[in-house]
């Protein structure tokens, strides 16, 4: 178990409360403020990590979609050129009347 500044301040406040209650309450308040700040920073870090992961996933999805469209155009044009060239060269068009 790891003890941070907030826990140490709270322990010090408990010890000093036997001597001066005003100082103990002040130190305990400082301890609560430090704990809240640490919690807020942890929540912010998790939020930034989630945002970063979402942005990375969005960029990857956009790039994959763009790649798919490009490959579709590339292979679509290749197939059309090959089929039209083959029909003209060998005259394998089933609708032609050149028997």
């Amino acid at each position: 178990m790891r003890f941070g500044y907030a826990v140490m301040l709270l322990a010090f406040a408990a010890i000093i409360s036997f001597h001066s209650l005003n100082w103990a309450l002040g130190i305990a308040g400082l301890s609560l403020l430090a704990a809240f700040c640490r919690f807020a920073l942890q929540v912010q870090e998790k939020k930034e990590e989630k945002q970063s992961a979402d942005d990375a996933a969005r960029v990857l999805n956009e790039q994959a979609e763009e790649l798919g469209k490009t490959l579709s155009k590339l292979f679509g044009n290749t197939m059309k050129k090959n089929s039209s060239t083959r029909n003209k060269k060998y005259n394998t068009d089933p609708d032609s009347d050149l028997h």
Side-chain angles (χ1 to χ4, degrees), residues 7-82:
V7 175
M8 295 303 246
L9 280 174
L10 195 58
F12 182 69
I15 292 170
I16 203 125
S17 67
F18 295 112
H19 180 49
S20 171
L21 187 62
N22 289 338
W23 277 100
L25 290 176
I27 293 172
L30 182 64
S31 170
L32 291 174
L33 180 66
F36 175 76
C37 290
R38 184 184 66 213
F39 176 74
L41 287 173
Q42 288 175 348
V43 168
Q44 183 67 24
E45 286 176 0
K46 288 180 182 178
K47 186 177 180 182
E48 287 176 359
E49 287 176 4
K50 186 177 186 297
Q51 181 68 27
S52 175
D54 289 344
D55 288 344
R58 182 182 47 82
V59 167
L60 285 175
N61 285 336
E62 288 175 357
Q63 289 178 351
E65 183 178 335
E66 185 178 320
L67 177 65
K69 287 180 182 179
T70 304
L71 289 176
S72 165
K73 288 179 183 178
L74 177 68
F75 290 123
N77 289 340
T78 303
M79 295 300 287
K80 287 178 184 175
K81 287 179 183 178
N82 285 343

